[in-house]
């Protein structure tokens, strides 16, 4: 009897030990991946930080892009972000509101959701192919800010639709009902009650989309990105330089790759900072939003 | 009241149009992609200005692009190696030795069993006695999907087989998912089941940062850090290999796998866990035997979406895998994926030409692959939510 008891005790102990070993292992895996993230960020920050200066941000590239700054690429990315959000935001927000508040469940909604999910899964280079065939050639925009931002707006449209849906979903039914009970129409309720309530959620999604647009390369390869331009674009029908494409160019196909390496680190750092900033704002907004609820 | 109603209807329709935008986008993408991509089947793998001409005593009826390449590379040197051919050596001429296409045609006439690529205009207007144009079959689904060579600018005929590119894409995707699945699921389990909720709340945004890093930055990091590292470690002549792509893409696919799996794990009802624990199972046994199996379809969805993420990734593979469009010999060799091929070559392909259409065909293949992946994910999600 005693023997049996000690045996089962031993068994419990070994099971407990196995559990602890496995949990430590899981923790190590998480630390390992965060370590990789740390290494990536450390490399780019440590190498890129010394390059960052007012001059780097505000000067034109010089000497075959081995010296000078990245000003035109920053401006170009700014243009692309602005115009793609200009196109994608109203459409995406309206679509999100429709799907949550107006649509009746059925075939049409299923179709729209299927299309939205698939659009989100289309590889970015396929967007580039489409943009080139449709915006650049078929609509005749040429390789331009317009063609590039329209292509990018398709890339972020599903993100904006989903975040809008999520945000609209969180609006409590009581508030809507109160508004309707006071005699407001559905649109008045949407416009005056639902939208303000969901605003910060929608804003979070849009800011994340800004980060996405600023970092995308494949969709702009053939729709707007220029290898090098000595001046800034003066209309939306001009080609532009853009930060991610600039990083790709100076790190792979420049004539003096070694010489432009510091600039590449600097450019990578600027891209990372834009993305980090957008993510940070999104996280802050999200937390604020949660507290409000 | 009436004005309000009209306004309501108007608003509803405007919102509906906006909601249909994604369907419209998908429709346009399919149309323009396939319009160019399917055009390839109406084209010959030849540049429009050349024809393949033989001396009339050659009895072979037809030569495929691949067979002409074999003649060109002197792999096949006798006509009897082809269907309908007689036992005679092949004499292959090129115009760069002879110079003039009119003279080339004379040479063909004088040399029995000879073959050459001739300028189409010269052939149309020139003297055809003693000569015959040999037909080259149009591109077909089989020739494109099973062709082992991708040389879209080769002379005298293009080699448009995308098999090397397909295999490279599969190799990299398979390798990356092989690494990422266990790591991703382990982290998801850690975040959802093991870690203190406060810690996991702190860690989750860090994994989101990983998801937010643009692929061109990953590619740059791979180029300056991982490529030299792999080159040194395995003492390779070049560091740009499939392995570097696999390593970086496994990191890139992690956030997708982690977040979807984590959602699935945390949506397993607490009663399951409590039932298992009350039966005397340890926490780990509960996770391993109860929680993970219940979340299995959700975890699978994460892996499937991770596959979609990896197979469509362009900039990273373009920058770190060496861009050699050959059938992959192993992970320590340079390869080129479907996506990287489009990115690398579309800029140089003349608009509407055969090469251009071949790249759009690759785009169609990619689109269909990701469509299937998305449909599988949708199916898994609907199964999951139904339950």
């Amino acid at each position: 009897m005693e023997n049996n008891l000690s045996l089962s005790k031993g068994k419990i102990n070994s099971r407990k030990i196995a559990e602890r070993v496995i949990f430590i292992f899981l923790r190590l895996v998480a630390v390992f991946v965060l370590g990789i993230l740390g290494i990536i960020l450390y490399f780019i920050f440590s190498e890129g930080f010394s390059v960052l200066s007012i001059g780097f941000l505000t000067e034109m590239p010089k000497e075959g892009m081995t010296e000078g700054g990245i000003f035109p690429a920053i401006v170009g990315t700014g243009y692309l972000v602005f115009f793609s959000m200009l196109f994608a935001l109203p459409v995406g927000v309206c679509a999100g509101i429709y799907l949550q508040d107006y649509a009746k469940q059925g075939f049409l909604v299923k179709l729209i959701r299927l299309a939205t999910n698939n659009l989100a899964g289309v590889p970015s280079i396929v967007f580039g192919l489409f943009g080139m065939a449709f915006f650049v050639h078929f609509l005749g925009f040429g390789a331009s800010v317009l063609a590039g931002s329209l292509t990018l707006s398709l890339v972020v449209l599903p993100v904006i639709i989903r975040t809008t849906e999520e945000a609209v979903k969180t609006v409590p039914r009581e508030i809507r009902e109160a508004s309707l009970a006071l005699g407001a129409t559905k649109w008045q309720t949407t416009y005056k009650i639902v939208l303000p309530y969901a605003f910060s959620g929608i804003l979070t999604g849009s800011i994340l989309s800004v980060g996405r647009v600023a970092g995308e390369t494949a969709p702009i390869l053939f729709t707007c990105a220029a290898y090098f331009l000595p001046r800034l674009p003066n209309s939306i029908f001009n080609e532009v330089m853009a930060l991610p494409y600039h990083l790709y160019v100076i790190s792979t196909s420049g004539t003096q790759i070694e010489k432009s390496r510091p600039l590449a680190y600097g450019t990578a750092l600027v891209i990372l900072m834009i993305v980090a900033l957008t993510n940070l704002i999104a996280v802050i907004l999200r937390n604020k939003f949660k507290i409000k609820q | 009241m009436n004005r309000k109603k009209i306004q309501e209807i108007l608003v509803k329709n405007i919102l509906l149009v906006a909601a249909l935008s994604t369907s419209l986008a998908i429709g346009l993408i399919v149309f323009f992609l396939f319009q160019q991509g399917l055009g390839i089947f109406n084209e010959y793998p030849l540049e429009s200005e050349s024809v393949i001409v033989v001396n009339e005593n050659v009895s072979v009826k037809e030569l495929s692009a691949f067979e002409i390449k074999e003649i060109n590379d002197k792999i096949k040197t006798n006509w009897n190696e082809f269907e309908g051919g007689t036992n005679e050596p092949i004499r292959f001429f090129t115009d760069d030795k002879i110079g003039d296409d009119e003279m080339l045609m004379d040479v063909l006439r004088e040399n029995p069993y000879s073959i050459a690529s001739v300028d189409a205009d010269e052939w149309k207007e020139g003297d055809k006695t003693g000569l015959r144009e040999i037909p080259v079959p149009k591109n077909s689904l089989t020739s494109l999907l099973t062709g082992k060579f991708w040389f879209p600018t080769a002379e005298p005929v293009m080699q448009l087989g995308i098999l090397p590119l397909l295999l490279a894409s599969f190799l990299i995707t398979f390798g990356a998912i092989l690494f990422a699945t266990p790591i991703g699921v382990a982290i998801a389990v850690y975040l959802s089941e093991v870690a203190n909720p406060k810690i996991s709340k702190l860690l989750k945004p860090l994994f989101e940062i990983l998801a937010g890093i643009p692929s061109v930055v990953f590619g740059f990091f791979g180029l300056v850090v991982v490529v030299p590292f792999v080159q040194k470690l395995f003492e390779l002549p070049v560091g740009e290999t499939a392995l570097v792509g696999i390593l970086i893409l496994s990191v890139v696919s992690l956030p997708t796998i982690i977040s979807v799996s984590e959602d699935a794990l945390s949506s397993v009802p607490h009663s399951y866990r409590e039932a298992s624990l009350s039966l005397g199972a340890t926490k780990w046994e509960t996770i391993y035997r109860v929680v993970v199996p219940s979340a299995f379809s959700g975890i699978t969805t994460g892996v499937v979406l991770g596959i979609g993420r990896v197979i469509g990734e362009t900039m990273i593979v373009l920058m770190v895998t060496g861009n050699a469009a050959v059938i992959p010999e192993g992970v320590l060799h340079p390869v080129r994926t479907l996506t990287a091929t489009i990115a690398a070559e579309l800029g140089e392909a003349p608009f509407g030409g055969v090469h251009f259409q071949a790249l759009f065909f690759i785009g169609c293949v990619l689109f269909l692959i990701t469509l299937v992946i998305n449909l599988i994910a949708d199916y898994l999600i609907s199964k999951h939510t139904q339950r």
Side-chain angles (χ1 to χ4, degrees):
Chain A
M1 199 58 195
E2 217 184 320
N3 222 348
N4 259 347
L5 203 71
S6 71
L7 192 76
S8 74
K9 229 180 194 174
K11 225 176 169 184
I12 287 176
N13 265 339
S14 76
R15 283 161 68 203
K16 275 279 173 199
I17 290 167
E19 178 178 274
R20 291 191 69 171
V21 170
I22 287 164
F23 283 5
I24 289 169
F25 176 73
L26 291 178
R27 195 164 293 138
L28 284 178
V29 172
V31 169
F32 170 70
V33 172
L34 290 175
I36 293 175
L37 173 68
I39 289 173
I40 296 174
L41 297 180
Y42 171 76
F43 253 90
I44 291 172
F45 268 85
S46 65
E47 298 279 329
F49 201 72
S50 58
V51 186
L52 279 196
S53 66
I54 301 291
F56 181 69
L57 299 176
T58 58
E59 279 173 23
M60 304 294 277
K62 287 176 206 152
E63 309 287 330
M65 298 195 280
T66 57
E67 279 171 42
I70 53 168
F71 185 58
I74 294 176
V75 172
T77 289
Y79 275 122
L80 290 175
V81 167
F82 176 77
F83 284 106
S84 54
M85 295 313 284
L86 189 72
F87 301 132
L89 206 52
V91 176
V93 170
C94 287
I97 292 172
Y98 180 81
L99 286 174
Q100 268 310 310
D101 274 8
Y102 282 79
K104 289 188 189 76
Q105 292 302 315
F107 174 74
L108 189 67
V109 171
K110 258 189 187 158
L111 182 88
I112 291 171
R113 278 191 210 285
L114 196 70
T116 310
N117 281 345
N118 279 307
L119 197 65
V122 170
S124 53
I125 189 71
V126 173
F127 279 111
L129 276 178
F130 168 70
M132 187 202 199
F134 185 62
F135 297 122
V136 174
H137 284 283
F138 184 76
L139 296 182
F141 295 156
S144 61
V145 176
L146 184 61
S149 358
L150 283 167
T151 310
L152 286 170
S153 69
L154 292 181
V155 177
V156 292
L157 195 55
V159 184
I160 297 177
I161 294 179
R162 275 184 201 165
T163 44
T164 305
E165 275 198 80
E166 289 298 318
V168 170
K169 213 191 268 178
T170 58
V171 180
R173 231 182 53 207
E174 296 85 351
I175 303 187
R176 289 171 212 256
E177 280 166 1
S179 162
L180 293 170
L182 288 171
T185 62
K186 189 156 185 180
W187 170 239
Q188 283 169 330
T189 309
T190 304
Y191 184 66
K192 298 227 164 127
I193 307 295
V194 175
L195 269 185
Y197 198 97
F199 181 72
S200 60
I202 295 172
L203 201 61
T204 309
S206 335
I207 289 169
L208 285 174
S209 310
V210 168
R212 178 88 191 271
V213 169
E216 279 285 354
T217 319
I220 61 171
L221 281 176
F222 313 111
T223 52
C224 66
Y227 184 83
F228 173 70
L229 284 175
R231 59 196 145 64
L232 298 177
N234 46 25
S235 101
I236 53 168
F237 292 102
N238 285 127
E239 280 185 272
V240 279
M241 291 178 75
L243 286 169
Y245 184 63
H246 187 66
L247 174 58
Y248 167 64
V249 165
I250 59 175
S251 61
T252 58
S253 57
T255 42
Q256 295 149 300
I257 292 179
E258 284 310 316
K259 251 181 124 180
S260 51
R261 186 101 318 156
L263 296 188
Y265 274 109
T267 312
L269 182 56
V270 171
I271 297 175
L272 268 187
M273 280 164 63
I274 293 174
V275 173
L277 195 71
T278 54
N279 275 278
L280 191 70
I281 296 173
V283 168
I284 292 171
L285 273 175
R286 199 188 301 159
N287 286 343
K288 231 176 146 182
F289 178 49
K290 271 186 186 153
I291 291 162
K292 200 177 77 182
Q293 275 177 49
Chain B
M1 200 62 197
N2 230 344
R3 238 185 70 199
K4 271 188 183 170
K5 258 199 179 142
I6 293 170
Q7 194 192 27
E8 278 297 297
I9 293 167
L10 208 67
V11 164
K12 198 181 165 180
N13 282 311
I14 290 171
L15 294 180
L16 173 66
V17 169
L20 287 173
S21 62
T22 52
S23 316
L24 178 71
I26 287 281
L28 284 172
I29 290 174
V30 169
F31 180 78
F32 279 89
L33 214 56
F34 282 77
Q35 184 203 29
Q36 289 290 343
L38 298 182
I40 189 83
F41 297 119
N42 281 323
E43 301 286 344
Y44 299 93
L46 291 166
E47 292 186 47
S48 56
E49 58 267 22
S50 58
V51 290
I52 304 296
V53 175
V54 290
N55 186 297
E56 67 177 356
N57 57 12
V58 172
S59 53
V60 172
K61 289 275 172 302
E62 194 180 66
L63 284 173
S64 71
F66 179 61
E67 289 168 332
I68 295 169
K69 176 186 159 38
E70 287 179 313
I71 294 175
N72 192 19
D73 297 349
K74 309 274 188 288
I75 291 165
K76 293 204 171 159
T77 52
N78 195 306
W79 285 114
N80 67 4
E81 292 174 77
F82 297 110
E83 203 186 314
T86 48
N87 184 15
E88 294 290 342
I90 299 171
R91 299 161 108 169
F92 179 68
F93 294 100
T94 50
D95 57 355
D96 47 272
K97 272 186 203 149
I98 293 155
D100 186 294
D101 272 33
E102 216 180 308
M103 277 160 75
L104 181 63
M105 278 157 72
D106 291 335
V107 172
L108 282 177
R109 236 187 307 275
E110 286 154 18
N111 289 281
Y113 306 106
S114 58
I115 177 168
S117 157
V118 176
D119 185 87
D121 290 338
E122 292 280 349
W123 171 248
K124 227 181 257 167
E125 288 155 22
D127 176 16
K128 294 190 190 60
T129 46
L131 298 177
R132 179 165 66 86
E133 181 186 347
I134 197 156
V136 178
K138 286 180 180 176
N139 299 303
S140 67
L141 202 58
T142 10
S143 79
L144 290 167
L145 291 180
T146 63
K148 293 194 190 91
F149 297 95
W150 174 262
F151 298 128
T153 53
E155 308 244 344
V157 287
M158 315 171 172
Q159 303 297 321
L160 298 176
I162 66 166
L163 189 65
L165 318 175
L166 266 176
L167 290 177
S169 279
F170 288 150
L171 173 71
I172 287 186
T173 307
F174 179 74
I177 292 301
L178 204 65
F179 279 119
T181 303
I183 296 178
V185 174
I187 293 177
V189 167
Y190 175 71
L191 289 176
S192 146
E193 307 295 319
V194 180
N196 182 319
K198 267 185 195 159
I199 290 177
S200 96
K201 208 179 158 191
L202 207 75
L203 292 184
K204 272 187 223 168
L206 292 177
F207 290 106
E208 277 174 39
I209 292 181
L210 205 56
I213 297 178
S215 52
V216 70
V217 175
F218 272 114
F220 176 66
F221 175 77
L223 202 60
V224 293
V225 178
V226 189
V227 166
F229 177 73
V230 165
Q231 185 178 6
K232 246 187 214 159
L233 189 66
F234 296 99
E235 292 168 350
L236 300 169
V238 284
E240 280 100 342
T241 53
L243 181 66
V244 182
I246 289 173
L247 290 176
I248 298 183
L249 284 177
S250 59
V251 175
V252 169
S253 64
L254 272 178
T256 311
I257 298 180
I258 293 173
S259 79
V260 180
S261 305
E262 212 252 337
D263 278 349
L265 289 168
S266 47
S267 68
V268 173
H270 272 285
S271 53
Y272 287 25
R273 292 186 185 87
E274 281 152 13
S276 165
L277 290 172
S278 69
L279 287 172
T282 63
K283 208 170 165 190
W284 167 245
E285 284 160 353
T286 306
I287 294 169
Y288 181 65
R289 298 269 172 89
V290 179
V291 182
V292 171
S294 318
F296 188 75
S297 77
I299 292 172
T300 318
T301 312
V303 174
V304 169
L305 289 173
I307 292 173
R309 175 85 176 79
V310 173
I311 209 158
E313 180 50 58
T314 310
M315 296 317 289
I316 296 171
V317 286
L318 182 64
M319 290 168 88
V320 303
T321 61
N323 283 326
V326 290
I327 293 200
E329 289 171 55
V331 291
L332 292 179
H333 291 267
V335 296
R336 188 198 258 173
T337 63
L338 295 166
T339 50
T341 304
I342 300 174
E345 293 176 9
L346 191 68
E348 286 137 37
F351 183 79
V354 183
H355 184 191
F356 184 86
Q357 289 178 330
L359 294 174
F360 269 79
F361 175 75
I362 296 177
C364 297
V365 172
L366 265 175
F367 180 82
L368 289 177
I369 292 174
T370 48
L371 183 74
V372 169
I373 288 171
N374 280 312
L375 290 178
I376 293 173
D378 273 354
Y379 169 74
L380 286 170
I381 291 168
S382 71
K383 217 172 94 179
H384 187 65
T385 44
Q386 256 170 31
R387 203 201 53 188

